[in-house]
């Protein structure tokens, strides 16, 4: 039995005193008394060191999803934005333009199958996840959806997250990249108001640029604010409605998918 | 943000630990919350009381430990501590900062009986 904290029943595997936390492998330190002096307690209380991320379960599911995608050489994009930025319209136009590239779509919304229905009309495979009261997709939901989609090798997987600029930033789904869609009607300071999402994103798509002249939108100010919260973010300007700028977005997708597929080959 | 979901995560970990280590009651649970984790502490405390009902952490004291926000300044290439996400670099006053720490949401330890 350890004479410092009175613990027994588990093997430390190293000689030490107890002035440190146990390792990142989740090893636990527990005893009859208190392991430290920083928590007040009664005599029979014991301290269990956890050092576990609250989202550890989600992160484990995300790692599982990532393994599946890597083995398939498939590239997954987690599309995040506020409601109404044009995610589904962009997807429909993207699917039509991608032609024979294998792809599938996971749609997240609180209610309705409207978005998955729109995607299926293009002929693409789509699964709707309704989160009910939930404000974000999590990795467990996405793993289930991936099981049903039967993804082919070298596929693009588009995950359209719940329209919400807050919560989806914190939940890893196992994707290769978060892509934030920002429409030019939302206000140039949107990235400053919701920095976490734009910091987590690899690419920002500035959508509805055809409307910019009608709403006095300053596209350079959008880009400057995006780079202020994420100096590494890539930015593309396009209009899913007119198709302007779509070629850059398609080239970006093909390049990322190509890198991933070559890695898996 | 999703404080209720976070508390469900905490509850899952509490229940796993209770099974593994045979305790019935959590007296105190300590979590570390980074400055940029996006966690509203009052909402977390409220959700904690609600979500822990019927599990070993019902009635437990929730202690929150703040961890600082850290960012890499792209102008002076130094890692600095900042209070708010949009603060300029305290060293060179540059405005291009990439967060590198402060998004932690971690259960540190529990005092159990």
């Amino acid at each position: 039995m350890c004479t410092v904290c009175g613990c027994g029943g588990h093997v430390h595997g190293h000689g030490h005193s107890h002035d440190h936390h146990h390792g990142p492998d989740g090893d636990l330190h527990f005893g009859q008394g208190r392991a430290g002096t920083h928590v007040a307690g009664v005599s029979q209380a014991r301290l269990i060191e956890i050092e576990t991320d609250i989202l550890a379960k989600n992160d484990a599911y995300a790692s599982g999803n990532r393994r599946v995608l890597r083995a398939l050489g498939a590239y997954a994009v987690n599309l995040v934005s506020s409601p109404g930025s044009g995610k589904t319209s962009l997807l429909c136009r993207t699917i039509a333009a991608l032609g024979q590239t294998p792809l599938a779509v996971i749609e997240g919304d609180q209610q309705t199958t409207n978005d998955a229905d729109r995607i299926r009309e293009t002929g693409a495979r789509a699964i709707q996840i309704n989160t009910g009261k939930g404000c974000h997709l999590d990795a467990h939901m996405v793993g289930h959806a991936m099981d049903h989609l039967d993804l082919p090798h070298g596929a693009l997987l588009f995950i359209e997250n719940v329209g919400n600029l807050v919560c989806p930033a914190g939940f890893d789904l196992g994707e290769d990249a978060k892509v934030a869609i920002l429409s030019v009607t939302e206000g140039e300071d949107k990235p400053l108001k919701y920095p976490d999402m734009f910091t987590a994103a690899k690419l920002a798509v500035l959508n509805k640029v055809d409307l910019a002249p009608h709403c006095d939108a300053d596209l350079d100010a959008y880009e400057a604010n995006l780079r202020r919260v994420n100096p590494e973010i890539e930015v593309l300007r396009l209009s899913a409605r007119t198709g302007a700028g779509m070629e850059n977005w398609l080239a970006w997708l093909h390049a990322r998918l190509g890198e991933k597929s070559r890695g898996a080959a | 943000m999703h404080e209720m979901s976070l508390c469900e995560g905490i509850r899952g970990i509490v229940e796993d630990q209770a099974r593994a280590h045979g305790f019935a009651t959590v007296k105190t649970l300590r979590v570390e919350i980074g400055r940029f984790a996006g966690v509203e502490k009052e909402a977390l405390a409220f959700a904690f009381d609600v979500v822990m009902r019927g599990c070993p952490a019902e009635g437990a004291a929730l202690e929150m430990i703040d961890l600082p926000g850290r960012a890499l300044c792209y102008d002076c290439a130094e890692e600095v501590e900042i209070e708010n996400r949009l603060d300029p670099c305290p060293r060179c006053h540059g405005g291009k900062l990439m967060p590198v720490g402060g998004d932690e949401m971690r259960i540190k330890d529990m005092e159990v009986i």
Side-chain angles (χ1 to χ4, degrees):
Chain A
M1 189 176 81
C2 171
T3 55
V4 177
C5 63
C7 64
H10 70 293
V11 179
H12 284 303
H14 55 278
H16 60 75
S17 61
H18 280 80
D19 56 353
H20 66 280
H21 300 307
H22 281 219
D25 55 358
D27 223 351
L28 297 169
H29 178 147
F30 58 96
Q32 298 297 310
R34 286 175 289 148
T37 56
H38 48 287
V39 175
V42 293
S43 58
Q44 75 272 33
R46 57 193 165 116
L47 191 70
I48 299 185
E49 290 191 5
I50 309 286
E51 298 288 354
T52 299
D53 286 342
I54 292 172
L55 296 179
K57 208 167 252 180
N58 180 75
D59 293 345
Y61 283 118
S63 300
N65 295 348
R66 205 162 264 129
R67 267 195 303 279
V68 170
L69 291 164
R70 195 181 304 125
L72 289 170
Y75 191 84
V77 179
N78 180 0
L79 296 166
V80 291
S81 81
S82 40
S85 65
K87 292 192 293 300
T88 312
S89 298
L90 175 63
L91 264 182
C92 289
R93 183 123 200 172
T94 303
I95 290 164
L98 283 169
Q100 296 304 307
T101 307
L103 61 89
V105 178
I106 297 172
E107 283 288 340
D109 279 300
Q110 285 196 322
Q111 301 290 341
T112 83
T113 61
N114 293 358
D115 282 0
D117 294 342
R118 279 176 69 190
I119 299 293
R120 287 188 200 111
E121 280 171 18
T122 68
R125 203 94 211 265
I127 285 195
Q128 180 79 45
I129 299 174
N130 281 143
T131 59
K133 296 276 187 284
C135 49
H136 57 269
L137 292 176
D138 65 38
H140 184 236
M141 297 170 182
V142 169
H144 266 303
M146 281 168 56
D147 288 344
H148 288 288
L149 281 171
D150 200 15
L151 280 178
H153 276 267
L156 276 169
L157 174 63
F158 295 99
I159 305 165
E160 186 181 332
N161 218 315
V162 177
N164 174 351
L165 279 178
V166 185
C167 309
F171 286 80
D172 183 8
L173 305 180
E175 75 274 2
D176 292 279
K178 285 188 178 68
V179 172
I181 322 290
L182 183 59
S183 62
V184 302
T185 54
E186 294 178 43
E188 290 88 347
D189 58 353
K190 198 55 112 23
L192 306 181
K193 290 173 172 171
Y194 299 92
D196 294 340
M197 186 61 88
F198 297 99
T199 301
K202 184 178 176 64
L203 170 72
V205 171
L206 208 44
N207 191 21
K208 308 189 190 179
V209 290
D210 53 315
L211 297 181
H214 305 289
C215 49
D216 299 325
D218 180 345
L219 299 181
D220 292 335
Y222 271 105
E223 287 208 21
N225 285 335
L226 284 164
R227 296 217 161 81
R228 182 160 166 216
V229 299
N230 181 350
E232 291 182 3
I233 200 163
E234 299 171 66
V235 184
L236 294 176
R237 301 177 182 189
L238 60 79
S239 165
R241 191 174 76 87
T242 67
M246 281 294 290
E247 66 281 2
N248 298 326
W249 160 237
L250 295 168
W252 189 91
L253 288 170
H254 279 303
R256 298 290 88 74
L257 178 61
E259 289 162 8
K260 185 88 182 275
S261 303
R262 279 194 296 280
Chain B
M1 50 184 191
H2 38 264
E3 282 74 9
M4 204 65 106
S5 305
L6 296 181
C7 285
E8 280 160 10
I10 293 174
R11 180 176 172 134
I13 292 165
V14 165
E15 288 174 336
D16 288 348
Q17 295 293 332
R19 267 192 300 277
H21 302 289
F23 61 81
T25 306
V26 178
K27 289 188 67 198
T28 307
L29 189 142
R30 297 203 303 165
V31 294
E32 292 175 318
I33 305 288
R35 183 96 196 159
F36 304 149
V39 174
E40 183 56 52
K41 288 179 6 180
E42 279 184 27
L44 188 71
F46 174 78
F48 183 82
D49 288 342
V50 174
V51 174
M52 295 309 141
R53 282 180 199 154
C55 94
E58 179 168 351
L62 176 67
E63 288 182 14
M64 294 181 236
I65 301 163
D66 295 318
L67 297 181
R70 292 196 318 281
L72 179 67
C73 174
Y74 275 51
D75 290 320
C76 70
E78 288 289 328
E79 199 177 303
V80 292
E81 234 174 70
I82 48 175
E83 276 287 301
N84 297 301
R85 249 324 251 103
L86 301 178
D87 283 353
C89 173
R91 288 173 54 95
C92 74
H93 308 292
K96 283 186 185 164
L97 294 136
M98 190 74 168
V100 292
D103 60 348
E104 299 86 354
M105 294 185 277
R106 209 161 42 211
I107 303 185
K108 182 170 170 56
D109 53 32
M110 304 178 206
E111 194 189 13
V112 303
I113 304 173

